[in-house]
Amino acid sequence: MFLFLTLERFSSSPQMEEVRATTAWVAAHSSHVTVDSSGIEKVAETMKDSIPKVEWDFEGIHYFDNGPLTVQYLLVLDTLNFCFWPDKDLNYDHLAMGLKAALQNDECAFDADRLQNYTGPQLRELVKWPRPLPLEDERIRLIHEVGFELERSFDGKASNLVESCSKSAVKLVALITRHFPGFRDHTVYKGHQVFLYKRAQIFAADLWGAFKGQEYGEFNDIGSITIFADYIVPAVLHQLGVLRYSSALATIIETNSEIVSGSEEEVELRACSVYAVEKMRELISKKSGKQVLSVELDLWLWSFGIQCPYLQHHRTLSIYY
Ligand SMILES: Nc1nc2c(c(CN[C@H]3C=C[C@H](O)[C@@H]3O)cn2[C@@H]2O[C@H](COP(=O)(O)O)[C@@H](O)[C@H]2O)c(=O)[nH]1
């Protein structure tokens, strides 16, 4: 009875509401980053008539076979989807293409028992990277954690995990963060807990995008997902005049100085980005009379960002993004 009640409470936990509420709290108490409502207004005005649609996998880099192996691929990908910048030649595309090639070579490459045994050099070989990956020990720890828990609770299959979510992205985020501690992307800011859940949410979004809202990508509540607070989107929002920085923070970013994980500056950059895009989504929806999804805005902002060769982003060593 007790177990039933706790699970029930958990499964109805409004996790995305926690992301929205706590990031809004940060934006209201922010010291280094300001959300400029006139900047949001300008962007919303230009977008209201034609909301740009960016195709998922516009880069043509992902594994896709329309089945459970794609789900396994996406979970592995999003387990490792963080912190590429310390190696100036490495980016997200290398990871995606490396994992895709690994799976094409050997369809058992991401079996749960294999995931639990990868070493740093083997992971480098998978990604075809000639030197240690940034935060390589953490990457190995996280991939082991995912393999272990997949085997223990989901018969080794990420597709079982997704199937148990009854087409709810919110449930999926709750389940992922419950089973895999490495996805628990939250922090404390001025004494308040703040939830961001970047990699857990992007996993739901990747399923939705890859499967075009069908099969493993069918979620009745995809509108609940927020943007994925990484190091690209804040920089784009800054360039668009949506985020303003204090002069001290601007200097830190311009000089490529590191920002400590969990510092006020870092939490503000991420949380204000989530908050600003929520406001932008509300405004565009109101002006256009069409429901816009944060996932769609995220992909548009992110794809714009990675095509800017000189985009200056903040630099934080983090396993979350
Ligand atoms: N907000 C947001 N952040 C995203 C992604 C993606 C990829 N999404 C896939 C989904 C559809 C597309 O087809 C993409 O293939 C990666 N990232 C983040 O960017 C950073 C990597 O930057 P660089 O070092 O330059 O490669 C790093 O923090 C990474 O975690 C996204 O969509 N949204």
Side-chain angles (χ1 to χ4, degrees):
M1 183 62 168
F2 173 73
L3 181 68
F4 171 75
L5 285 176
T6 45
L7 284 180
E8 194 50 32
R9 259 187 44 170
F10 190 85
S11 64
S12 59
S13 143
Q15 291 208 318
M16 269 47 273
E17 286 320 307
E18 285 176 343
V19 173
R20 288 195 170 81
T22 60
T23 54
W25 194 88
V26 174
H29 296 84
S30 191
S31 311
H32 313 273
V33 179
T34 315
V35 177
D36 187 332
S37 46
S38 67
I40 296 179
E41 173 71 37
K42 259 188 231 146
V43 176
E45 197 51 38
T46 57
M47 281 175 71
K48 71 176 196 303
D49 298 324
S50 69
I51 298 147
K53 276 255 181 292
V54 179
E55 271 294 302
W56 194 86
D57 200 16
F58 62 93
E59 317 99 308
I61 54 176
H62 290 292
Y63 179 85
F64 187 72
D65 67 359
N66 207 18
L69 206 49
T70 300
V71 182
Q72 197 87 355
Y73 159 79
L74 291 175
L75 183 62
V76 173
L77 176 70
D78 286 326
T79 298
L80 301 172
N81 183 1
F82 58 85
C83 205
F84 304 95
W85 61 264
D87 188 323
K88 68 175 178 36
D89 299 317
L90 178 72
N91 61 41
Y92 169 82
D93 292 13
H94 293 108
L95 175 70
M97 290 189 295
L99 297 181
K100 175 185 180 179
L103 211 45
Q104 285 171 333
N105 265 336
D106 174 5
E107 62 175 33
C108 299
F110 301 153
D111 283 3
D113 58 329
R114 300 271 294 274
L115 294 178
Q116 289 172 68
N117 286 298
Y118 278 116
T119 62
Q122 287 170 334
L123 182 63
R124 266 176 247 165
E125 214 177 291
L126 276 193
V127 181
K128 297 189 182 59
W129 202 244
R131 44 187 182 273
L133 295 157
L135 302 179
E136 189 172 271
D137 292 347
E138 286 292 80
R139 290 187 144 91
I140 290 299
R141 182 178 69 79
L142 294 167
I143 206 90
H144 290 180
E145 178 182 286
V146 164
F148 177 83
E149 188 56 16
L150 273 184
E151 188 169 296
R152 195 175 74 101
S153 300
F154 301 99
D155 199 21
K157 300 204 163 39
S159 55
N160 288 340
L161 182 154
V162 175
E163 276 170 7
S164 69
C165 293
S166 9
K167 304 188 195 318
S168 164
V170 173
K171 271 194 190 163
L172 181 59
V173 171
L175 203 65
I176 291 261
T177 52
R178 179 162 116 208
H179 283 276
F180 307 103
F183 281 82
R184 288 179 201 154
D185 176 12
H186 49 91
T187 184
V188 176
Y189 173 83
K190 297 185 179 172
H192 288 245
Q193 194 168 13
V194 176
F195 300 87
L196 296 143
Y197 294 138
K198 184 257 182 186
R199 289 194 287 106
Q201 293 200 77
I202 212 171
F203 176 56
D206 282 346
L207 288 163
W208 182 75
F211 289 91
K212 300 195 188 319
Q214 303 295 314
E215 315 244 335
Y216 292 110
E218 187 180 351
F219 297 114
N220 299 324
D221 55 359
I222 192 70
S224 304
I225 297 291
T226 69
I227 61 145
F228 322 116
D230 67 339
Y231 50 85
I232 301 290
V233 171
V236 175
L237 292 172
H238 179 252
Q239 212 171 71
L240 293 173
V242 168
L243 295 187
R244 309 250 176 235
Y245 301 156
S246 67
S247 59
L249 178 58
T251 306
I252 291 171
I253 294 176
E254 278 159 22
T255 55
N256 291 335
S257 305
E258 219 177 290
I259 297 180
V260 175
S261 173
S263 62
E264 275 187 11
E265 288 87 343
E266 190 228 8
V267 182
E268 289 181 13
L269 283 161
R270 300 185 74 204
C272 289
S273 297
V274 174
Y275 173 77
V277 178
E278 286 307 304
K279 291 286 135 200
M280 193 186 283
R281 181 180 59 78
E282 283 166 19
L283 200 57
I284 298 171
S285 298
K286 196 165 129 199
K287 281 177 187 279
S288 67
K290 290 187 204 120
Q291 273 307 315
V292 184
L293 301 172
S294 299
V295 188
E296 294 170 319
L297 292 178
D298 178 90
L299 194 50
W300 171 68
L301 291 163
W302 186 79
S303 62
F304 178 84
I306 57 156
Q307 286 165 53
C308 294
Y310 301 109
L311 191 76
Q312 276 191 305
H313 62 73
H314 74 279
R315 282 155 201 268
T316 297
L317 287 171
S318 169
I319 62 160
Y320 297 120
Y321 66 99

